[in-house]
């Protein structure tokens, strides 16, 4: 299973930034040991249902340590029996794009 999620505080700092709270969430993900990738908008994590959603919950709690309110957005690709899809999906896409050349 792949889960892309974004968790952010409901209120920003004086300069409008949320990076400290988001960094706390990403730290939880990276320390989980599960395959993951963070970009400018989402963090994607790969694993079994219970372990992935445990990390998402703990990452959300890390944001809530900075603010009384958080926003959470999730998107999941649930494909039982498949692993390595954090990279596998991108590899297949690149191969398809090469076929267009």
């Amino acid at each position: 299973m792949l889960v892309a999620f974004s968790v952010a505080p409901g209120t920003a700092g004086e300069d409008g930034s949320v990076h400290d709270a988001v960094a706390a969430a990403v730290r939880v993900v990276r320390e989980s040991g599960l395959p993951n990738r963070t970009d400018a908008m989402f963090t994607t994590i790969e694993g079994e249902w219970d372990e992935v959603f445990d990390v998402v919950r703990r990452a959300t709690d890390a944001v809530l340590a900075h603010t009384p309110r958080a926003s959470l957005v999730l998107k999941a690709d649930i494909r039982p029996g498949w692993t390595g899809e954090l990279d596998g999906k991108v590899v297949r896409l690149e191969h398809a794009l090469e076929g267009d050349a």
Side-chain angles (χ1 to χ4, degrees), residues 6-99:
S6 173
V7 59
T11 57
E14 290 182 25
D15 65 351
S17 179
V18 298
H19 65 273
D20 289 335
V22 172
V26 171
R27 189 172 297 111
V28 168
V29 172
R30 291 184 179 174
E31 291 174 354
S32 75
L34 295 176
N36 66 84
R37 182 171 299 132
T38 299
D39 62 35
M41 296 293 293
F42 286 92
T43 293
T44 304
I45 187 168
E46 183 171 15
E48 296 299 319
W49 186 280
D50 289 341
E51 61 189 358
V52 168
F53 279 95
D54 176 64
V55 173
V56 171
R57 180 192 51 79
R58 291 187 293 117
T60 302
D61 288 344
V63 169
L64 287 169
H66 290 259
T67 183
R69 186 176 190 177
S71 172
L72 175 64
V73 177
L74 295 163
K75 181 176 182 179
D77 182 359
I78 304 162
R79 198 171 186 188
W82 288 72
T83 60
E85 290 300 278
L86 191 64
D87 294 317
K89 290 177 75 165
V90 177
V91 167
R92 290 190 299 277
L93 172 64
E94 291 299 332
H95 285 298
L97 289 170
E98 289 170 6

